[in-house]
């Protein structure tokens, strides 16, 4: 979130304000002195802190093999079977004025069903995309990416910053397509909602 304008410690939402009020040890009462991020130069909203680069999770990084053992990752990467991977987002349940079905239907017009795979957002219903190839894993997206070579797969998402995690964290390249302009053109009613427009911008 810090790469696209969010604060690292943010108490603007209701849940975090409640935590901050009732919990004397809340993380939101802390003052950051050091921040460790993969790309310090890309952080848009910087706290009054020192920023340090994290080492990429490549084969020469000792942490990569440790993570592999802890999470029982594959010892070598397979090529991901899909030509396109769609990163789902629960935009409507997050109260954004975006019709997710319209977006997905447009993608289905451009990509054959056999080439399209879906990575469900953790908060999305398991039955959201019936009859489509959905990644079945308990691994977080960032660790799942360590299992496969996605260099021949295009990652498509409405606006998910997770589409850039592989590049930021591992330095790997996969084509990425985000759809905020498509959404604005396809669904002009989104322009009536300030919160949605801010997020798309």
């Amino acid at each position: 979130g810090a790469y696209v304008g969010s604060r690292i410690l943010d108490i603007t939402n209701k849940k975090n304000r409640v935590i901050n009020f009732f919990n004397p040890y809340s993380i939101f009462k802390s003052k950051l002195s050091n921040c460790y991020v993969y790309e310090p130069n890309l952080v848009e909203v910087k706290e009054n802190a020192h920023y340090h680069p994290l080492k990429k999770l490549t084969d020469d990084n000792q942490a990569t093999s440790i993570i592999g053992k802890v999470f029982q990752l594959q010892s070598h990467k397979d090529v991901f079977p899909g030509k396109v991977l769609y990163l789902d987002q629960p935009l409507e349940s997050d109260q954004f004025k975006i019709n997710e079905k319209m977006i997905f239907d447009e993608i289905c017009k451009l990509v054959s069903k056999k080439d399209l795979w879906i990575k469900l957002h953790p908060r999305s219903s398991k039955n959201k995309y019936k009859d489509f190839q959905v990644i079945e894993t308990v691994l977080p997206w960032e660790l799942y990416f360590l299992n496969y070579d996605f260099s021949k797969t295009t990652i498509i998402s409405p606006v998910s910053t997770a589409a850039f995690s592989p590049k930021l964290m591992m330095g790997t390249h996969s084509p990425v397509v985000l759809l905020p302009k498509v959404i604005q053109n396809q669904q002009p009613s989104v322009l009536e909602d300030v919160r949605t427009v801010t997020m798309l911008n």
Side-chain angles (χ1 to χ4, degrees), residues 10-21 26 28:
D10 186 2
I11 59 167
T12 56
N13 71 49
K14 287 178 188 172
K15 185 176 97 178
N16 291 354
R17 283 202 306 263
V18 168
I19 291 169
N20 199 46
F21 182 78
S26 165
F28 302 110

Side-chain angles (χ1 to χ4, degrees), residues 86-92 100 121 124 128-129 157-160:
Y86 180 71
L87 295 186
D88 163 66
Q89 289 181 271
L91 296 168
E92 289 169 288
E100 295 170 54
H121 189 280
S124 289
K128 190 171 182 179
Y129 300 94
S157 180
V159 290
S160 177

Side-chain angles (χ1 to χ4, degrees), residues 179-191 197 200-201:
L179 304 172
K181 289 183 180 177
V182 171
I183 293 167
Q184 289 173 326
N185 290 333
Q186 179 200 56
Q187 303 176 36
S189 61
V190 300
L191 301 174
V197 170
L200 290 172
N201 288 341

Side-chain angles (χ1 to χ4, degrees), residues 83-185:
K83 290 183 181 174
V84 173
L85 176 62
Y86 180 71
L87 295 186
D88 163 66
Q89 289 181 271
L91 296 168
E92 289 169 288
S93 61
D94 287 345
Q95 310 303 309
F96 290 107
K97 307 300 181 195
I98 294 171
N99 184 324
E100 295 170 54
K101 186 175 184 318
M102 281 178 74
I103 301 167
F104 189 71
D105 287 348
E106 284 298 309
I107 291 167
C108 290
K109 290 176 189 174
L110 301 170
V111 181
S112 71
K113 197 170 180 179
K114 68 179 177 61
D115 293 330
L116 178 62
W117 282 70
I118 297 157
K119 167 68 175 79
L120 275 177
H121 189 280
R123 293 195 317 273
S124 289
S125 162
K126 301 281 184 223
N127 301 318
K128 190 171 182 179
Y129 300 94
K130 288 180 180 173
D131 305 323
F132 282 92
Q133 300 170 105
V134 177
I135 290 174
E136 299 284 344
T137 183
V138 294
L139 289 172
W141 161 241
E142 293 80 7
L143 296 184
Y144 184 81
F145 206 88
L146 287 173
N147 266 340
Y148 291 95
D149 174 1
F150 280 84
S151 60
K152 293 185 170 75
T153 301
T154 300
I155 299 171
I156 299 179
S157 180
V159 290
S160 177
T161 55
F164 297 105
S165 296
K167 176 71 173 171
L168 292 170
M169 296 176 67
M170 294 96 176
T172 57
H173 175 72
S174 293
V176 173
V177 178
L178 297 186
L179 304 172
K181 289 183 180 177
V182 171
I183 293 167
Q184 289 173 326
N185 290 333

